C-alpha cells in the first residue's frame, strides 16, 4: 500500500477517510496537526494553504481537509466557521438559533487538499439534508447528532462509519481523491511499459 499523510487533529475524520482511501490502495498516516484558521471563507483555499504548511513538516505527500455545515435559514452560517461555532455555542446553540424555523435544510461540505509535488489539488464533496429538532445518537463527532442526510431518518450520529460514508461530504471528497490518485498511477504505467 502507498502511504499518504493526513494532517489533522480529528481522529474521527481520520477514521472515516482511511476507510475510503484503503479501497484505492492507499494507507493514510495520521500527522497530528492543528490547522491555522486562515482569513478565508473558501474551504478549498483554507485546506490548500494548510496542506502547503503541513508539507513543510512532513516532506511527503500530505492531505488536509476543511469542512463546514451550511444552514439555509441562517444564510449558510456557520459554514467556514463551523469549528469555532461548535467549540463556542455547540449543538445546543445551533438548535436554539433554529427554534421555530420550519425550513431546516442544510448541507455539509468538505474540501480535501493534497500536496504531492509537482501536484497540488483540491477535491470537494457535499451532502444535503436537514437539521434535526433535537440531538440523536452517540456516534461520530461535531454536528453529527443534528444532521439527517437526504433519504434518511437517522442522524449521522446514529450511523456506523460505513453508513455515514455512504452519504458524507468527506467520503465524497476522498472518493474523488482516490479516483484521481488512480488516474495518476495509470499515467505512470504506460511509460513503464514503453521502457520494458
Ligand atoms: P474543520 O474542518 O476542522 O475546520 O472543522 C469543521 C467543523 O465542522 C467541525 O468541528 C465540526 O463541528 C463540523 N463538521 C465537519 N464535518 C463534520 C461531520 O462529518 N460531522 C459533524 N460535524 C462536522
Amino acid at each position: 500500500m502507498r502511504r499518504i499523510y493526513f494532517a489533522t487533529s480529528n481522529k474521527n475524520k481520520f477514521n472515516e477517510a482511511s476507510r475510503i482511501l484503503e479501497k484505492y490502495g492507499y494507507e493514510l498516516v495520521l500527522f497530528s496537526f492543528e490547522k491555522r484558521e486562515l482569513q478565508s471563507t473558501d474551504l478549498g483555499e483554507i485546506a490548500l494553504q494548510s496542506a502547503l504548511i503541513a508539507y513543510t513538516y512532513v516532506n511527503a505527500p500530505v492531505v488536509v481537509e476543511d469542512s463546514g455545515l451550511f444552514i439555509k435559514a441562517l444564510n449558510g452560517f456557520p459554514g467556514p466557521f463551523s469549528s469555532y461555532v461548535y467549540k463556542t455555542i455547540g449543538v445546543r446553540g445551533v438548535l436554539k438559533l433554529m427554534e421555530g424555523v420550519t425550513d431546516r435544510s442544510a448541507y455539509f461540505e468538505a474540501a480535501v487538499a493534497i500536496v504531492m509535488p509537482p501536484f497540488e489539488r483540491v477535491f470537494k464533496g457535499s451532502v444535503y439534508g436537514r437539521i434535526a429538532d433535537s440531538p440523536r445518537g452517540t456516534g461520530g463527532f461535531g454536528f453529527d447528532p443534528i444532521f439527517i442526510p437526504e433519504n434518511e431518518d437517522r442522524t449521522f450520529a446514529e450511523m456506523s462509519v460505513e453508513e455515514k460514508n455512504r452519504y458524507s461530504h468527506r467520503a465524497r471528497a476522498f472518493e474523488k481523491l482516490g479516483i484521481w490518485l488512480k488516474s495518476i498511477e495509470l499515467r505512470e504505467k504506460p511509460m513503464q511499459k514503453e521502457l520494458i
Side-chain angles (χ1 to χ4, degrees):
M1 274 226 210
R2 298 184 185 207
R3 305 175 94 207
I4 292 180
Y5 285 94
F6 185 6
T8 181
S9 59
N10 185 325
K11 287 231 168 73
N12 293 82
K13 281 187 178 185
F14 177 77
N15 288 337
E16 293 174 18
S18 293
R19 301 218 190 174
I20 302 292
L21 279 197
E22 70 188 17
K23 292 192 299 183
Y24 294 89
Y26 284 82
E27 183 195 353
L28 277 181
V29 180
L30 182 68
F31 176 66
S32 206
F33 178 73
E34 204 61 62
K35 247 182 321 197
R36 213 179 309 149
E37 289 300 333
L38 303 153
Q39 294 299 310
S40 172
T41 50
D42 178 354
L43 299 183
E45 196 182 323
I46 297 169
L48 183 56
Q49 291 307 319
S50 302
L52 288 165
I53 295 168
Y55 185 82
T56 65
Y57 292 101
V58 296
N59 256 295
V62 63
V63 292
V64 172
E65 185 223 278
D66 199 60
S67 46
L69 175 66
F70 297 75
I71 302 175
K72 191 175 169 194
L74 305 179
N75 297 322
F77 182 83
F81 313 109
S82 295
S83 163
Y84 181 71
V85 167
Y86 179 74
K87 282 185 216 145
T88 50
I89 63 171
V91 164
R92 298 265 162 206
V94 169
L95 282 179
K96 207 153 180 49
L97 294 175
M98 295 294 286
E99 265 172 18
V101 175
T102 45
D103 181 357
R104 305 187 72 85
S105 324
Y107 66 91
F108 270 120
E109 186 170 277
V112 174
I114 182 163
V115 174
M116 188 172 75
F119 303 107
E120 289 169 15
R121 291 278 189 287
V122 177
F123 301 93
K124 288 188 174 173
S126 52
V127 53
Y128 286 83
R130 62 186 196 278
I131 302 298
D133 293 322
S134 56
R136 292 201 316 259
T138 53
F141 69 99
F143 296 109
D144 277 347
I146 54 166
F147 185 81
I148 305 168
E150 253 173 7
N151 304 319
E152 260 289 343
D153 294 318
R154 293 172 303 164
T155 67
F156 271 163
E158 293 178 296
M159 298 181 189
S160 64
V161 171
E162 284 82 8
E163 286 170 323
K164 181 179 171 185
N165 271 352
R166 258 184 245 147
Y167 301 100
S168 91
H169 50 312
R170 176 164 307 101
R172 289 173 180 164
F174 275 92
E175 291 279 358
K176 287 184 188 169
L177 170 64
I179 291 166
W180 177 77
L181 287 166
K182 284 286 156 204
S183 77
I184 295 290
E185 285 175 26
L186 288 175
R187 263 188 254 165
E188 285 168 3
K189 279 197 180 123
M191 283 187 58
Q192 287 165 0
K193 265 191 198 147
E194 279 161 28
L195 289 175
I196 291 169

